[in-house]
Amino acid sequence: MLYLVGLGLSSEEDITVRGLKAVKKSCRVYLEHYTSILMAASQEELEKFYEKPVILADREMVETGCDEILRDADKQDVAFLVVGDPFGATTHTDLVLRAKQQGISVEVIHNASIMNAVGACGLQLYTFGQTVSMVFFTENWRPDSWYEKILENRKIGLHTLVLLDIKVKEQNYENMARGRLIYEPPRYMSISQCCEQLLEVDESKGTKAYTADTPCVAISRLGCPTQRMKSGTIKELSGYDAGEPLHSLVILGRQCHELELEYLLEFCDDRRKFKQDVLRDQEYFKPAPWVPPAEEEDE
């Protein structure tokens, strides 16, 4: 059996009872280590809690070397641990498909993830649209395919969850070209950098999916004891120090319910200004009032 086990958001203790039982009886335990990280638990702490070794599975192992993960999983139990929920990344869907192609039974054990825990900021989950990912810009690579998704969400009034990039076990171009296994230090995108990139792309596009005054809520270390929220405009949050990672951002949609707004006011510096910012932003993409068709005159 291959077990895909969600670990939750923060601590080694966030695993479910069923997930822990699966880990305890597995012969090998892998920890996916590139789409996210457990913010309050190290590999050593996981090994102590599980009382068995944990193998770190980087992007290369999961995407190109998954035969090692699936080795003998038709004869013995293997656990593949994922921060958040197992299906929070499409890579894990691919792993399940490969297992089934080899006749390996798969059991998925779900857990909390950013995709549902984001409701802690006060915005209702069913008012969210497409989720987008913001990657680190480089001098020669500034992808902006996410912009159209934000535009689509905003046109129909829905909030947008923006997941911020992390870089774990990444090589620079020179080391990659020379075949040297030298890796860059881990990097985690901040709220301020995300907002700066949002503003840069909006300026280049000119279609105004959002503006510098569009209200947002910054989410830091969701699920940790040090969890923190901050409401403000994109421009204001571009200068915000959100502290230690991990960070996420929600761009508000036009349909912000009064209860959602009341919750967000707890996280802002100037309640009156933020409320005005939200009310002004609701005019963007607001549908034109319905006008009844003109009656045809009798001839």
Side-chain angles (χ1 to χ4, degrees), residues 92-112:
H92 311 136
T93 305
D94 182 66
L95 182 62
V96 171
L97 290 173
R98 289 172 181 262
K100 290 183 175 180
Q101 289 167 2
Q102 297 181 32
I104 298 170
S105 298
V106 177
E107 182 175 333
V108 178
I109 302 174
H110 296 283
N111 209 321

Side-chain angles (χ1 to χ4, degrees), residues 43-292:
Q43 178 184 359
E44 292 74 19
E45 288 169 324
L46 289 178
E47 291 178 331
K48 181 179 179 181
F49 189 68
Y50 302 148
E51 299 179 336
K52 60 175 50 188
V54 173
I55 304 166
L56 293 183
D58 59 17
R59 182 187 298 272
E60 183 179 0
M61 174 181 284
V62 177
E63 294 185 350
T64 64
C66 67
D67 287 342
E68 171 59 25
I69 297 173
L70 299 177
R71 175 174 52 85
D72 296 330
D74 56 337
K75 307 180 188 70
Q76 54 190 214
D77 293 326
V78 175
F80 184 77
L81 312 181
V82 181
V83 175
D85 186 82
F87 289 133
T90 55
T91 299
H92 311 136
T93 305
D94 182 66
L95 182 62
V96 171
L97 290 173
R98 289 172 181 262
K100 290 183 175 180
Q101 289 167 2
Q102 297 181 32
I104 298 170
S105 298
V106 177
E107 182 175 333
V108 178
I109 302 174
H110 296 283
N111 209 321
S113 76
I114 182 65
M115 303 296 286
N116 58 358
V118 67
C121 73
L123 298 176
Q124 298 164 6
L125 291 179
Y126 57 78
T127 58
F128 278 76
Q130 303 171 88
T131 297
V132 302
S133 296
M134 178 69 71
V135 302
F136 284 107
F137 284 179
T138 67
E139 184 176 348
N140 302 314
W141 189 59
R142 311 179 95 72
D144 58 11
S145 59
W146 45 264
Y147 185 88
E148 294 303 320
K149 293 182 179 180
I150 295 176
L151 179 60
E152 290 171 4
N153 288 345
R154 296 263 295 160
K155 280 184 175 179
I156 57 176
L158 300 180
H159 311 310
T160 303
L161 171 60
V162 185
L163 303 178
L164 276 55
D165 199 8
I166 71 172
K167 297 291 187 186
V168 179
K169 201 177 179 181
E170 297 279 338
Q171 292 178 284
N172 62 33
Y173 291 119
E174 181 182 353
N175 287 328
M176 190 181 301
R178 296 177 180 273
R180 298 184 299 209
L181 297 179
I182 301 174
Y183 300 99
E184 299 291 293
R187 291 191 296 152
Y188 308 95
M189 182 179 286
S190 66
I191 292 292
S192 58
Q193 184 169 4
C194 173
C195 289
E196 288 171 0
Q197 293 186 183
L198 283 168
L199 294 173
E200 176 186 324
V201 171
D202 178 64
E203 185 176 348
S204 66
K205 291 283 187 180
T207 50
K208 298 300 178 186
Y210 50 84
T211 72
D213 296 322
T214 294
C216 300
V217 54
I219 304 171
S220 311
R221 300 170 298 283
L222 183 60
C224 283
T226 59
Q227 172 182 303
R228 186 178 177 190
M229 313 282 183
K230 182 72 170 181
S231 301
T233 65
I234 296 178
K235 180 63 176 177
E236 290 167 347
L237 293 177
S238 68
Y240 169 56
D241 181 1
E244 293 296 314
L246 298 171
H247 300 167
S248 302
L249 182 76
V250 179
I251 301 173
L252 267 63
R254 182 186 71 252
Q255 300 181 60
C256 185
H257 191 274
E258 60 183 15
L259 290 179
E260 292 179 304
L261 176 56
E262 189 66 27
Y263 208 100
L264 293 176
L265 291 176
E266 298 297 318
F267 308 133
C268 63
D269 293 330
D270 188 331
R271 296 169 64 96
R272 182 171 176 273
K273 178 184 180 302
F274 185 76
K275 188 172 184 177
Q276 291 175 338
D277 289 335
V278 171
L279 294 176
R280 277 195 299 267
D281 188 69
Q282 289 179 351
E283 296 301 314
Y284 278 90
F285 309 117
K286 191 172 185 178
W290 181 78
V291 177

